[in-house]
Amino acid sequence: MIFFAAALIPQVRAEFQWFFWAMVILCGTVATGIAAFLIFCAWRFRRKDDNELPPQNAMNIPAEITWILLPLLFFFIAMFAYGTKLYFDIERPPADAEDVYVVAKQWMWKAQHIGGEREINSLHVPAGRPVRLRMISQDAIHSFFVPEFRIKQDVLPQRYTTIWFSAEHAGTYHLFCAEYCGTNHSHMTGWIYVMEPDAYQRWLQTGGAEGSLASTGEKLFHQHGCSNCHQFNGHGRAPNLIGLYGQKVQIAGGYALADEDYIRESILNPNAKIVYGFQAIMPTYQGQISEEDIIALIAYIKSLDTGAPLQLTTLAAPVIETNSAVPTKSHPAERTTR
Ligand code: CUA
């Protein structure tokens, strides 16, 4: 029954669902029609007499072209084009989507909001606003599945996956893990609480968060000693991180996009991509930092985009202390003025 409760489904997903059933019906009709016609012809043109020779008809080229081209263009190519459009709608979160980070582990779902609120096996979101989930697993492969929203996305170790939804109606929706992940897989469930915007604001205020996710990240940035080398005056031994997020970074042998995965890799496996003009001196933080803390650090680095603690005039060239043979480049991160 739930599969037809379209009124509850977020809009893009509802469109997707109708399209899916339209395709099933159309393809089913065509396949049934062809099969029926085949059976009819086998009966109608059967050999009625042992000596009968069938008439040899030449192929009717215009008829052949018509019946191939018309369905191809008007049904199948049209379905493909519309399906592609829907696919991009589903894959590309709107720019104003609110980020929530999800860490999956055996056997629970942990969510971290930008404001610093944390929850386990529950996720509070506002109604009518797009929410983008950035998810990672700290052990096995899990899958974030909310049947009523028609969203299901694998949650993998070592890399972030993203899914977005915009829940239209306030209510409580079941969250499941849809990938077998060990003994208690079937207990890895939770609830999505979609709240009216004002109720959501009240929930945020009673969340008891100790500062935003970015401010937690800032504390970690100092605790782990990142700030010793990643200085904001451009004179550190490591790249200046102000404005880094979302930029193309010049690295040995090409460019890398400074997204969540890049930042995470740079923390856990710093030698994988060395920023042009810098030395491979950063130690790995593998095993010393949890996925949640990495997310807080990412939130902090993202926040350096706008809430820069220093004037942007200090974004000078990196000073290369140890190897003067390396040519100095104006700045490792290509930036655009915002
Ligand atoms: Cu997590 Cu199944």
Side-chain angles (χ1 to χ4, degrees):
M1 199 51 227
I2 164 186
F3 264 85
F4 294 95
L8 293 174
I9 308 168
Q11 196 244 325
V12 175
R13 301 282 164 175
E15 216 179 318
F16 186 85
Q17 171 159 303
W18 291 123
F19 181 57
F20 171 78
W21 285 112
M23 252 171 70
V24 168
I25 291 166
L26 178 67
C27 294
T29 309
V30 170
T32 314
I34 290 173
F37 187 63
L38 192 75
I39 292 168
F40 167 77
C41 289
W43 169 78
R44 172 73 179 76
F45 301 106
R46 69 193 185 278
R47 181 183 261 189
K48 285 154 191 150
D49 156 13
D50 280 352
N51 298 321
E52 182 183 346
L53 279 178
Q56 301 296 310
N57 291 331
M59 189 167 68
N60 185 338
I61 302 266
E64 294 273 338
I65 290 177
T66 310
W67 84 262
I68 290 172
L69 272 190
L70 284 185
L72 183 73
L73 290 178
F74 289 100
F75 289 125
F76 299 107
I77 298 281
M79 279 196 309
F80 173 75
Y82 187 59
T84 307
K85 179 226 167 247
L86 276 181
Y87 175 77
F88 282 117
D89 285 350
I90 282 170
E91 285 298 303
R92 287 189 185 144
D96 61 341
E98 184 168 317
D99 270 325
V100 177
Y101 292 91
V102 172
V103 176
K105 60 170 283 195
Q106 290 162 324
W107 289 274
M108 63 175 75
W109 297 102
K110 296 186 282 188
Q112 289 166 280
H113 295 258
I114 295 296
E117 298 78 13
R118 287 158 184 265
E119 31 187 340
I120 288 178
N121 292 339
S122 72
L123 175 61
H124 291 74
V125 294
R129 287 250 305 276
V131 175
R132 173 175 47 191
L133 304 177
R134 298 252 192 223
M135 307 187 288
I136 196 162
S137 163
Q138 63 180 65
D139 38 52
I141 297 177
H142 305 271
S143 180
F144 190 96
F145 180 33
V146 186
E148 282 155 301
F149 294 175
R150 305 293 187 274
I151 59 170
K152 179 154 76 172
Q153 172 64 53
D154 273 10
V155 182
L156 310 173
Q158 309 296 339
R159 132 171 131 75
Y160 294 100
T161 51
T162 301
I163 197 161
W164 78 273
F165 62 90
S166 176
E168 250 105 294
H169 302 274
T172 308
Y173 304 92
H174 223 140
L175 161 67
F176 296 94
C177 179
E179 183 73 44
Y180 180 70
C181 55
T183 318
N184 289 329
H185 155 72
S186 61
H187 296 293
M188 194 169 161
T189 58
W191 295 96
I192 313 288
Y193 298 95
V194 178
M195 309 173 86
E196 295 299 348
D198 49 338
Y200 180 68
Q201 283 309 319
R202 261 177 277 131
W203 178 81
L204 285 181
Q205 277 148 26
T206 56
E210 317 151 13
S212 68
L213 193 57
S215 72
T216 305
E218 185 175 18
K219 278 180 221 128
L220 292 164
F221 193 75
H222 294 292
Q223 267 169 30
H224 286 284
C226 316
S227 47
N228 295 341
C229 297
H230 291 283
Q231 294 175 11
F232 296 132
N233 57 14
H235 297 295
R237 292 190 297 158
N240 185 342
L241 302 180
I242 291 178
L244 169 73
Y245 182 78
Q247 301 296 320
K248 256 168 71 185
V249 180
Q250 194 181 7
I251 56 169
Y255 287 92
L257 176 70
D259 58 3
E260 277 86 353
D261 281 308
Y262 170 84
I263 296 172
R264 183 177 177 279
E265 179 185 61
S266 299
I267 294 169
L268 298 179
N269 186 12
N271 290 342
K273 296 190 178 81
I274 305 286
V275 175
Y276 181 78
F278 288 91
Q279 304 291 312
I281 52 170
M282 179 169 158
T284 172
Y285 286 82
Q286 191 96 51
Q288 299 170 43
I289 185 164
S290 67
E291 293 294 347
E292 281 106 321
D293 285 356
I294 293 174
I295 285 168
L297 281 167
I298 290 173
Y300 173 57
I301 291 167
K302 282 171 92 165
S303 77
L304 294 174
D305 198 21
T306 45
L310 287 188
Q311 310 90 318
L312 290 172
T313 47
T314 55
L315 286 170
V319 175
I320 292 136
E321 295 170 338
T322 43
N323 185 356
S324 55
V326 180
T328 307
K329 178 76 173 44
S330 63
H331 193 271
E334 283 192 350
R335 77 184 53 256
T336 48
T337 324
R338 294 176 187 229

